[in-house]
Amino acid sequence: MAVPFPDPASDTDPAARLLAEAAPGDNAPALSVSQLSAAIKRTVEDGFARVRVRGELSGAKRAASGHFYAALKDDNALIDMVMWKGQAARLAFRPEDGIEVIATGKLTTYPGRSKYQLVVDTLEVAGEGALMILFEKLKARLGAEGLFDPARKQDIPRLPRVIGVVTSPTGAVIRDILHRLADRFPMHVIVWPVLVQGDGAAAQVAIAIRGFDAIEPGGAVPRPDLVIVARGGGSIEDLWAFNEEVVVRALADCRIPTISAVGHETDTTLADYAADRRAPTPTAAAEMAVPVRAELQELLATWNGRMIGAANRQQGLWSERLTALARHLPRREALYAPQRQRLDDSGDRLDRSQRQRLAVVADRLATRGASLRPSLLARRWDRDRARLEGLGRLLDSLDPRALLSRGYAMVRDAGGAIVTTAAKARAAGELRLQFADGEVAVQPAGDGASSPRPARKPPPEPAKKGQGELF
């Protein structure tokens, strides 16, 4: 198929040109994409350097870097927004989808994606209606974690010795609480001063609650038995610090029983749900904390009177019962008479038995005594003496010293042990020969005999005991 040549008329049509050519008189040179994007960016940022935009959050997410990304939308349009890490960390609430907010910042472009976005410096909830939506969302989320579960609630102590109060030290709230406590039952009160409104208030309240909970018993600062978190009335925005998640979690984690007294009776905060008890006003919190001293004393007096009356009535009842039972008991003489008779009979039998026993023993002693004669004792003495003399003679015959007197000698080594063989004598070296009249030191044959040493006198023989000394 033949391809037709271009119409010569196309040489004058710019759209049909193949190569870009500058037209005569044209002073707008071609821009690069980056140049055009930079020009658009300058135009947008100069024209919208400071804007406030109201819209509903959509696609809210916080990146790992800490930056916050979302989109602001209404019924007909949508604008992307970004909040850098520093500003996002100072947010007074947790942004979630569906919350209507007012974002303040500047409009800029993102050349990498050919789009524009809002860089937000300040993000605020748009009105009390939006705050209520945020309140309900936060309440549902924390409630799902069980932070408001009634099973977590602790009982308020009947008579706390130390009360911790978290509130502003300069407002009317602390004066009302102290005045009410002084009227009812004066107690030791520790005030932890905090901001109750504005930036940083929620963090200070949470730190105070956890600070009281961290006090160890027995330390320099007494540990409270009860903690009251209090603030006066105000709008939902004024009370918002007590809806913050950090405050709710601090109350839920506190091991000390807590009372929330934030706002007036019609005001409700998430702190009320997390605390162990909610008081409609700070003054009411003081009334919940302690009883009226005079009423308590009156109650104690009433209980004491009732206890004494009950004891007296019981004692009277027991006395009546004892008297009634005593009427049915037999007389003492009638109870003792059989035992007395039995005792008399036993005494008579014991006396007879002792006399019979003494008679038997006397008769046996007389019989045995008659058989004891001096001649029998002498024969027994002679027999035992003869036996002892025979044992003495046998002992003398077995004494080795008696053999020494008949010409025998006893051989000992240098250590004094008796040598019984020739081999032992040769191995012993120096020997000692014991005779009846002493010892002589000698050397075995072959080792060279040494001159005999002077004989030592034998030890004196123990004197023989006579027969009379053995007894």
Side-chain angles (χ1 to χ4, degrees):
M1 180 178 179
V3 179
F5 287 99
D7 188 349
S10 62
D11 294 339
T12 60
D13 184 3
R17 294 176 183 172
L18 179 60
L19 296 176
E21 297 178 0
D26 188 0
N27 59 357
L31 301 175
S32 67
V33 175
S34 296
Q35 289 174 334
L36 180 59
S37 296
I40 295 173
K41 182 178 180 68
R42 286 193 300 271
T43 301
V44 171
E45 290 181 352
D46 291 343
F48 301 93
R50 189 70 177 174
V51 294
R52 285 171 57 86
V53 183
R54 180 173 184 144
E56 181 181 318
L57 288 176
S58 176
K61 66 176 181 179
R62 190 182 293 269
S65 61
H67 306 321
F68 174 70
Y69 297 92
L72 295 173
K73 68 176 184 178
D74 56 18
D75 295 338
N76 301 313
L78 181 144
I79 299 177
D80 288 335
M81 61 156 283
V82 61
M83 197 171 192
W84 306 127
K85 177 181 179 180
Q87 288 76 19
R90 295 195 295 268
L91 281 174
F93 67 99
R94 179 173 177 172
E96 299 180 1
D97 289 354
I99 300 175
E100 189 175 12
V101 297
I102 295 178
T104 304
K106 66 178 180 179
L107 198 64
T108 185
T109 63
Y110 183 40
R113 294 185 182 177
S114 186
K115 60 186 294 187
Y116 62 88
Q117 63 183 4
L118 185 64
V119 179
V120 178
D121 298 327
T122 305
L123 193 64
E124 303 167 306
V125 179
E128 291 190 0
L131 272 180
M132 290 306 301
I133 295 175
L134 179 60
F135 176 89
E136 294 299 333
K137 284 180 174 289
L138 188 57
K139 176 184 175 183
R141 181 167 61 84
L142 298 179
E145 296 183 26
L147 299 185
F148 307 145
D149 191 349
R152 297 171 58 101
K153 307 295 184 182
Q154 304 178 79
D155 293 332
I156 301 300
R158 174 66 178 171
L159 196 61
R161 293 174 297 177
V162 180
I163 300 175
V165 180
V166 179
T167 190
S168 171
T170 59
V173 169
I174 186 60
R175 292 196 298 270
D176 293 343
I177 292 176
L178 295 177
H179 179 72
R180 197 59 174 159
L181 290 175
D183 288 345
R184 293 173 66 85
F185 205 122
M187 287 292 173
H188 186 179
V189 178
I190 303 176
V191 180
W192 195 304
V194 295
L195 292 174
V196 294
Q197 182 177 339
D199 293 340
Q204 290 189 17
V205 172
I207 290 172
I209 296 171
R210 295 190 183 277
F212 275 136
D213 194 28
I215 297 176
E216 294 295 334
V221 178
R223 178 180 173 84
D225 302 310
L226 177 68
V227 172
I228 300 175
V229 181
R231 187 205 187 282
S235 65
I236 185 173
E237 183 179 2
D238 296 336
L239 305 179
W240 190 257
F242 298 91
N243 292 322
E244 291 288 345
E245 185 172 346
V246 290
V247 174
V248 174
R249 292 191 181 278
L251 283 169
D253 295 340
C254 188
R255 295 168 296 175
I256 303 174
T258 56
I259 297 177
S260 174
V262 179
H264 297 305
E265 188 170 359
T266 56
D267 298 323
T268 303
T269 64
L270 294 182
D272 298 334
Y273 293 98
D276 297 311
R277 194 81 171 269
R278 176 185 181 269
T281 62
T283 301
E287 294 176 354
M288 291 180 182
V290 295
V292 178
R293 186 174 186 176
E295 294 179 356
L296 185 59
Q297 290 174 338
E298 182 179 355
L299 181 61
L300 290 175
T302 301
W303 286 351
N304 185 58
R306 292 173 60 184
M307 182 176 62
I308 294 175
N312 290 336
R313 288 193 299 272
Q314 189 68 25
Q315 183 179 4
L317 179 60
W318 288 344
S319 178
E320 293 176 1
R321 289 181 180 177
L322 183 60
T323 302
L325 292 173
R327 296 192 187 100
H328 299 284
L329 293 175
R331 298 180 61 186
R332 182 175 59 182
E333 290 75 9
L335 289 174
Y336 290 167
Q339 306 304 327
R340 286 174 176 172
Q341 186 176 0
R342 185 178 300 175
L343 180 61
D344 292 340
D345 293 342
S346 298
D348 293 340
R349 287 198 301 272
L350 179 62
D351 184 60
R352 291 194 300 271
S353 175
Q354 291 296 330
R355 285 198 298 270
Q356 292 174 359
R357 180 66 177 172
L358 287 174
V360 171
V361 171
D363 183 64
R364 186 178 300 173
L365 181 61
T367 303
R368 297 289 177 87
S371 61
L372 295 176
R373 298 189 299 276
S375 59
L376 293 177
L377 293 176
R379 285 198 299 271
R380 179 68 177 269
W381 175 272
D382 294 339
R383 185 174 63 251
D384 291 343
R385 183 176 59 182
R387 182 180 178 186
L388 182 60
E389 290 175 350
L391 292 174
R393 289 191 296 272
L394 178 61
L395 181 62
D396 291 340
S397 64
L398 296 177
D399 188 356
R401 288 175 296 183
L403 296 176
L404 298 180
S405 62
R406 293 201 295 268
Y408 292 94
M410 185 180 297
V411 182
R412 299 179 182 272
D413 59 15
I418 297 177
V419 179
T420 57
T421 64
K424 290 182 179 180
R426 285 191 291 272
E430 183 180 346
L431 300 175
R432 293 181 180 275
L433 301 181
Q434 181 178 353
F435 297 93
D437 58 348
E439 289 185 356
V440 175
V442 298
Q443 293 288 340
D447 296 335
S450 60
S451 59
R453 297 181 181 180
R456 292 190 304 177
K457 293 182 178 181
E461 294 184 3
K464 295 183 179 180
K465 297 180 179 181
Q467 226 175 18
E469 296 178 353
L470 297 176
F471 297 96

